[in-house]
Amino acid sequence: MTQAETDLEAYRNILQQAIEDGAPAAGVQMAQEALSAGLSPLAFFRGVIEPVLTDIGERFSRLEIFLPELMRAGMVVKAIQAQVLEPAIRAAGGQNFSEGTVVIGTAQGDIHDIGKNMVALMLQVNGFRVVDLGTNINPKAFIEAARRENADIIAMSSLLTPSMPYIRDTVQLAEGLGLRGRFLLIAGGAPVTRAWAESIGLDGFGEDAVEAVEVCRRLMANRRAAPTHPSL
Amino acid sequence: MQSNWLIEIMKRAQTGPFMKENEFDLLLAKRIKALVKQYGIQYDPNNLVPADDGLADRVFQAALDLFVDVGVYCQTTERCIRFSRDEVLALVAQARSEIVLGTGKDAVVMRHRGVEDPQRAVMHSGPTGTPCTERYHPLILLSCAQEPLVDCLGAGSVSTYFGAKILPGSPLEILGSRRDAGVAREAVRMAGRPGMHINDVAVSLTCAGKMAALDPAAGLRPSDGFLVSQMVELKTDFDQLSRVAALYNYGGVIVDLMTPLIGGVGGAAPGTAVVSVADHLLGVVLYDADYHMFSLTHLHYVNNTDPLGIWVQAVVGQALARNTPIVALNDIYVVSGPGTKELLYECAVGAIVGTVCGFNMQGAGTTGGFRADHTTGLEARFIAEVSRASLSLSRADAAGWAQALLPRYQETLTNPNRGKPFPEVYDVETVQPKEEWLAMYHAVKDELAGLGLKFGNP
């Protein structure tokens, strides 16, 4: 194992402990040290945050851990994002978010935010401007925020199956308001499948945070190439 | 409840401490974890129906501590509504222990049930939790209402109005709500039971929609009821409290609906049990509920027949039965669908455990709510029969039944057999189960009888 790999493992262990203890300050301190040691925000995300959150997500899906653990993970990672990564991205000139604007949130009826936070962070470190609406977001709120922020993409997350109809409702509301050409709509989360996403007319589906970024990049590239939405 | 209590609740909802919702969730999770440890509440996968009065009482005390410490979150005002221990205990002591549901010869008295109580459980059915299409909704309701052992009917939910999607807060919600109330009223009339209690019209998601269903001539009467919901966990809003206000003046039955999540904010089974009992306290203190519908829901499977769910139901039922006078109703929620043996096994577990642990019965919510029209009256008949057959069982017996039945469906929880829709398992002309579904019902019933369940108890 190289020194860099050893360091990453040490950072991951500290992050896991911070999550277990519900101690955002410990996570923030570790992230500051990591970036001071030369890690870029993207490398930190991919080498530390993403593997830890992925492991937590998988353990949750097997119900080896429960929602409180996810909530603590979200709390710690959010603090790292706000206090360390975002300032670092801005300092590096990342405030010129040239990839596009994404309004993101967890669908109505669902308060889980770990997956949504991962996607938000991953989009951000990849150059998107991200407006995080939080959890339990109703269709109208998604649309209103997208209008207000002049967003390109509305990204919806769902961990609870009962919240899925609200993703469909958001698609239908955008259609009803004649806004499908203005906003691209994507979704992801444990119960969301590619087939279901296609069946309700979403523009994209992300299996995980990495794919979510790929989808957003592809959609934005298509949009730049052909500004009019294909459904119009 | 005194009428000025609602004024007091409103006052506290507008003056209680501000808190962001996710902060409330974190506070709740932290407090639950501490209380589970403090009271030594432990899940035992080898005994899903503990015969442990001390455990049941500790769960109640932990829930009482939780409710007093954390209170209720009002999503409208983003404030916590809090109550003193004395207030909570006084209101619990005053809570109804029985309620007359329905009218005339079709009326039933639903009572508080004790642990291993020999008095029969009142049986609610209908497509509650399973969506229906406009075409088959009336027949599904009739299939439930006509079952002799079914006492009360839930009108369920249809998501369209003459094919148009019903949006909450829209005119179609009003029309859909009035239609579904009328269809339910007609179903009980056609079943020859015009006075049967109707426990809700589920299509409406707003107070306005609910109120639209109130119509003594063609909709819901004061002898019927509405669900007043809690948002998970321990949350309410002005829309829900407005339903309480309206039902007070109308005289309708207030049904406290809670859907605590297995694996949710409560964490594992012990914490879920604690928050579930605290949810019932919310229903007593804020809603002055006439009865309480406990719709425990697994975070992933959307059912309550997995091992954790069975244990939580067993412990929550006993905690309420031993420490409160309230009328509790267990909503059996399963992953399987009609035309499958798995559905009947899941229903049997829910009926046995719930009956022995102090609940009245509601069911079945099928397919985790994923498949429209996948619900029939036959599984309601089966639940009622199994419940009656369980009246002489002990908690140890119920634990044995849970262990015996779980292997018959447990592997399908991750890959459920959703079965067939209503028209494939019922004759839509006669509204009677088709031979295949009926034969399956008889086969499972014979199987349970062979294992020692004594059907035919009065």
Side-chain angles (χ1 to χ4, degrees):
Chain A
M1 188 181 280
T2 65
Q3 185 58 44
E5 287 168 341
T6 306
D7 290 346
L8 285 176
E9 187 173 354
Y11 293 141
R12 285 194 292 269
N13 289 338
I14 294 170
L15 179 58
Q16 278 166 340
Q17 192 60 49
I19 289 169
E20 197 169 315
D21 297 341
V28 166
Q29 187 183 339
M30 175 272 294
Q32 282 166 339
E33 288 170 8
L35 266 59
S36 298
L39 268 185
S40 70
L42 183 57
F44 180 81
F45 179 83
R46 287 200 165 144
V48 181
I49 292 180
E50 192 176 41
V52 169
L53 292 190
T54 299
D55 176 59
I56 286 174
E58 286 172 356
R59 287 163 61 207
F60 178 68
S61 71
R62 297 191 296 268
L63 270 195
E64 293 169 8
I65 59 172
F66 301 93
L67 190 58
E69 286 80 1
L70 259 73
M71 290 160 60
R72 286 202 296 273
M75 180 176 67
V76 172
V77 169
K78 201 176 278 182
I80 293 173
Q81 180 182 356
Q83 295 176 41
V84 183
L85 298 185
E86 285 180 3
I89 292 168
R90 277 198 297 274
Q95 69 271 33
N96 299 318
F97 296 99
S98 57
E99 292 286 344
T101 297
V102 181
V103 162
I104 191 168
T106 306
Q108 184 172 349
D110 197 340
I111 59 164
H112 305 99
D113 60 2
I114 189 166
K116 182 261 297 172
N117 290 345
M118 274 181 73
V119 174
L121 192 51
M122 193 68 174
L123 286 168
Q124 204 162 11
V125 297
N126 280 281
F128 284 85
R129 174 175 171 257
V130 177
V131 180
D132 189 344
L133 302 179
T135 61
N136 193 23
I137 306 301
N138 67 51
K140 197 175 171 188
F142 270 118
I143 299 292
E144 284 177 352
R147 277 176 153 158
R148 187 176 63 245
E149 301 292 341
N150 195 24
D152 300 291
I153 296 171
I154 296 174
M156 294 166 281
S157 170
S158 166
L159 188 68
L160 296 182
T161 309
S163 69
M164 288 169 65
Y166 294 105
I167 295 177
R168 185 192 56 214
D169 289 353
T170 308
V171 175
Q172 291 178 350
L173 185 60
E175 279 174 357
L177 294 171
L179 294 171
R180 285 306 301 272
R182 184 165 164 191
F183 307 127
L184 297 154
L185 291 103
I186 68 169
V192 179
T193 64
R194 199 175 302 277
W196 182 79
E198 286 173 6
S199 75
I200 65 164
L202 283 164
D203 297 297
F205 159 79
E207 184 81 41
D208 51 33
V210 174
E211 188 179 1
V213 172
E214 288 169 5
V215 167
C216 286
R217 279 184 167 156
R218 191 175 67 244
L219 289 173
M220 289 305 297
N222 292 343
R223 164 165 282 197
R224 280 189 283 270
T228 305
H229 189 272
S231 66
L232 293 177
Chain B
M1 184 187 282
Q2 296 173 347
S3 60
N4 61 3
W5 183 241
L6 207 47
I7 297 170
E8 179 62 28
I9 288 170
M10 284 301 297
K11 193 183 294 179
R12 295 186 196 192
Q14 294 171 89
T15 58
F18 266 123
M19 196 175 282
K20 288 187 175 174
E21 192 165 343
N22 66 334
E23 290 172 2
F24 180 81
D25 291 332
L26 286 165
L27 173 68
L28 197 55
K30 190 176 176 183
R31 192 72 188 109
I32 291 168
K33 188 178 179 184
L35 287 164
V36 165
K37 187 176 179 186
Q38 178 186 334
Y39 283 96
I41 300 163
Q42 291 184 330
Y43 166 69
D44 178 0
N46 297 313
N47 182 8
L48 298 180
V49 188
D52 182 345
D53 293 345
L55 172 65
D57 294 349
R58 293 200 304 278
V59 167
F60 180 80
Q61 288 302 323
L64 180 60
D65 285 359
L66 178 70
F67 190 75
V68 171
D69 292 349
V70 177
V72 176
Y73 188 76
C74 178
Q75 293 177 322
T76 309
T77 60
E78 300 185 12
R79 291 177 184 270
C80 294
I81 308 171
R82 293 199 172 132
F83 307 90
S84 71
R85 182 175 295 265
D86 288 345
E87 285 174 330
V88 176
L89 289 173
L91 288 165
V92 168
Q94 292 168 19
R96 279 173 201 80
S97 60
E98 62 179 38
I99 175 83
V100 177
L101 302 175
T103 58
K105 68 181 175 61
D106 303 314
V108 292
V109 180
M110 187 158 76
R111 295 186 171 88
H112 171 83
R113 297 187 69 252
V115 177
E116 299 172 2
D117 195 328
Q119 74 175 343
R120 80 172 185 89
V122 165
M123 179 69 207
H124 292 241
S125 185
T128 304
T130 308
C132 297
T133 61
E134 291 182 73
R135 185 174 187 182
Y136 293 115
H137 182 227
L139 298 181
I140 290 169
L141 285 176
L142 180 56
S143 80
C144 296
Q146 72 187 2
E147 286 294 335
L149 298 184
V150 167
D151 300 302
C152 307
L153 184 70
S157 179
V158 179
S159 61
T160 57
Y161 187 76
F162 285 95
K165 181 174 167 48
I166 296 173
L167 285 177
S170 75
L172 294 192
E173 183 190 27
I174 303 295
L175 291 170
S177 183
R178 290 190 60 75
R179 175 202 58 197
D180 287 2
V183 168
R185 174 63 54 216
E186 180 63 6
V188 297
R189 190 193 66 75
M190 286 187 70
R193 309 168 81 181
M196 178 184 274
H197 170 73
I198 298 170
N199 70 24
D200 190 41
V201 173
V203 64
S204 38
L205 294 176
T206 68
C207 182
K210 294 283 184 192
M211 295 310 103
L214 298 177
D215 182 341
L220 267 55
R221 306 165 176 169
S223 57
D224 300 319
F226 273 139
L227 303 182
V228 181
S229 302
Q230 304 182 25
M231 280 63 78
V232 287
E233 306 283 355
L234 289 174
K235 293 172 189 168
T236 189
D237 62 20
F238 282 180
D239 187 272
Q240 301 298 333
L241 290 168
S242 296
R243 301 174 195 198
V244 175
L247 287 166
Y248 265 166
N249 271 273
Y250 187 67
V253 176
I254 298 172
V255 188
D256 164 33
L257 171 68
M258 71 211 81
T259 55
L261 289 172
I262 302 164
V265 173
T272 305
V274 170
V275 80
S276 295
V277 174
D279 286 344
H280 283 82
L281 296 177
L282 186 161
V284 171
V285 173
L286 260 78
Y287 297 165
D288 189 24
D290 296 299
Y291 63 91
H292 303 258
M293 187 183 290
F294 178 43
S295 191
L296 181 67
T297 307
H298 191 283
L299 194 63
H300 295 326
Y301 310 143
V302 197
N303 73 328
N304 51 36
T305 53
D306 67 298
L308 299 178
I310 293 168
W311 186 90
V312 171
Q313 288 169 79
V315 171
V316 169
Q318 293 180 57
L320 296 169
R322 289 179 49 79
N323 294 279
T324 78
I326 68 169
V327 182
L329 177 66
N330 191 35
D331 187 9
I332 300 171
Y333 219 54
V334 303
V335 299
S336 312
T340 72
K341 285 188 173 182
E342 288 88 352
L343 168 63
L344 299 172
Y345 294 135
E346 286 189 84
C347 286
V349 166
I352 291 169
V353 174
T355 302
V356 170
C357 294
F359 285 109
N360 291 281
M361 292 287 109
Q362 153 107 11
T366 59
T367 73
F370 288 106
R371 298 288 172 85
D373 296 332
H374 280 57
T375 180
T376 78
L378 189 59
E379 56 265 27
R381 179 195 305 177
F382 183 73
I383 290 170
E385 289 173 336
V386 172
S387 174
R388 291 192 179 202
S390 307
L391 292 175
S392 58
L393 299 182
S394 67
R395 285 171 285 183
D397 294 333
W401 276 104
Q403 294 295 0
L405 292 171
L406 257 169
R408 287 167 162 79
Y409 65 84
Q410 192 170 4
E411 284 189 1
T412 69
L413 292 177
T414 52
N415 185 24
N417 186 348
R418 304 296 195 195
K420 298 175 181 176
F422 184 82
E424 290 184 31
V425 289
Y426 261 62
D427 183 320
V428 295
E429 300 297 329
T430 63
V431 196
Q432 293 299 316
K434 289 182 178 176
E435 191 52 43
E436 184 186 4
W437 183 210
L438 199 59
M440 200 174 281
Y441 152 82
H442 282 301
V444 173
K445 197 173 163 186
D446 289 347
E447 184 183 353
L448 299 190
L451 290 169
L453 199 59
K454 294 183 173 56
F455 288 99
N457 280 343

